[in-house]
Amino acid sequence: DVKVTQSSRYLVKRTGEKVFLECVQDMDHENMFWYRQDPGLGLRLIYFSYDVKMKEKGDIPEGYSVSREKKERFSLILESASTNQTSMYLCASTRGGAASNQPQHFGDGTRLSIL
Amino acid sequence: LAKTTQPISMDSYEGQEVNITCSHNNIATNDYITWYQQFPSQGPRFIIQGYKTKVTNEVASLFIPADRKSSTLSLPRVSLSDTAVYYCLVGDNSGTYKYIFGTGTRLKVLA
């Protein structure tokens, strides 16, 4: 079974801090994704990566950056955390190839609170 | 990009069959339709995927009409543990890797 592991289940940070969220997958998947999930808004794509060092903006990339130095690891970075970035963050991965026919495997999420 | 529309919530009783319909009027020719289940404090979990007609696995069935502008997830004989949010998803296979999640359907199964 594919395992997607997010480094923290809960995280509390302060406004202005630089925040790193880490995600590791163990199935050699090419594609990795970061979403945030807010009540009433569902899952929204922040960034995705289809290969090492490659990244593409999703629907809400503002205030975030990502890093993918190794195939199994995809990091989400909040450059200067703000209270409106308080949310649940979900990482997912898929095999390579045509995106829409690859089921996504999700981690259990990081609930981030910015004070 | 295709966008999905689902009912916001549904209630059902244990032992009943539940059908959740998703509209995706602008689905592209190469797009698959995928359904996920999400429990509180967990990431979404893949349930079923299809391209056309009917797909069945040990958990659910997925019905897709010929025009593919909608799909219906069918959960047979639900139990309390099926209470969750269900997402219908279509991908954008036009050269990007984007998936479009809707806001999901909150299913509540009552005893």
Side-chain angles (χ1 to χ4, degrees):
Chain A
D1 248 6
V2 176
K3 189 156 181 68
V4 178
T5 303
Q6 295 184 229
S7 53
S8 304
R9 289 300 305 272
Y10 301 93
L11 204 56
V12 179
K13 296 291 182 180
R14 295 206 173 273
T15 303
E17 281 191 71
K18 190 169 187 176
V19 180
F20 294 86
L21 303 183
E22 307 286 346
C23 175
V24 176
Q25 50 93 4
D26 66 358
M27 281 300 291
D28 203 36
H29 282 175
E30 282 77 14
N31 302 328
M32 296 188 75
F33 306 80
W34 275 107
Y35 295 88
R36 64 177 283 177
Q37 185 171 30
D38 301 288
L41 297 177
L43 277 78
R44 293 180 292 166
L45 181 64
I46 304 172
Y47 267 98
F48 62 94
S49 169
Y50 50 90
D51 202 351
V52 174
K53 297 191 185 295
M54 306 303 289
K55 60 185 179 183
E56 291 282 345
K57 292 181 179 179
D59 298 318
I60 51 165
E62 296 79 19
Y64 303 94
S65 63
V66 290
S67 172
R68 191 155 179 214
E69 297 297 320
K70 294 184 177 182
K71 191 175 185 180
E72 68 272 16
R73 185 180 297 270
F74 192 34
S75 302
L76 179 69
I77 304 156
L78 286 65
E79 297 290 344
S80 178
S82 64
T83 55
N84 63 10
Q85 292 178 308
T86 291
S87 185
M88 168 72 91
Y89 290 88
L90 289 158
C91 175
S93 72
T94 70
R95 290 181 297 166
S100 74
N101 63 355
Q102 305 288 348
Q104 294 183 80
H105 300 268
F106 283 86
D108 280 336
T110 296
R111 189 165 295 280
L112 175 65
S113 296
I114 307 296
L115 305 178
Chain B
L1 299 178
K3 183 177 178 181
T4 60
T5 303
Q6 305 173 232
I8 294 174
S9 64
M10 296 178 70
D11 288 346
S12 182
Y13 288 94
E14 281 191 293
Q16 289 188 334
E17 178 185 76
V18 171
N19 295 308
I20 306 174
T21 297
C22 178
S23 297
H24 28 79
N25 291 320
N26 298 320
I27 189 169
T29 302
N30 295 330
D31 280 351
Y32 281 68
I33 299 154
T34 311
W35 284 81
Y36 292 83
Q37 176 191 56
Q38 186 178 24
F39 298 114
S41 300
Q42 294 185 22
R45 181 176 70 97
F46 170 82
I47 300 176
I48 196 166
Q49 184 180 67
Y51 184 79
K52 61 181 179 180
T53 61
K54 177 184 175 182
V55 180
T56 297
N57 62 21
E58 64 278 6
V59 176
S61 294
L62 179 59
F63 299 92
I64 305 169
D67 67 6
R68 301 196 337 115
K69 293 186 176 182
S70 66
S71 59
T72 299
L73 174 73
S74 181
L75 303 172
R77 297 179 298 280
V78 295
S79 64
L80 295 175
S81 63
D82 292 315
T83 294
V85 178
Y86 293 83
Y87 292 94
C88 164
L89 195 65
V90 294
D92 176 4
N93 210 25
S94 62
T96 71
Y97 295 84
K98 290 187 178 183
Y99 296 80
I100 309 296
F101 273 91
T103 54
T105 297
R106 188 172 298 276
L107 172 66
K108 186 174 183 180
V109 179
L110 306 169

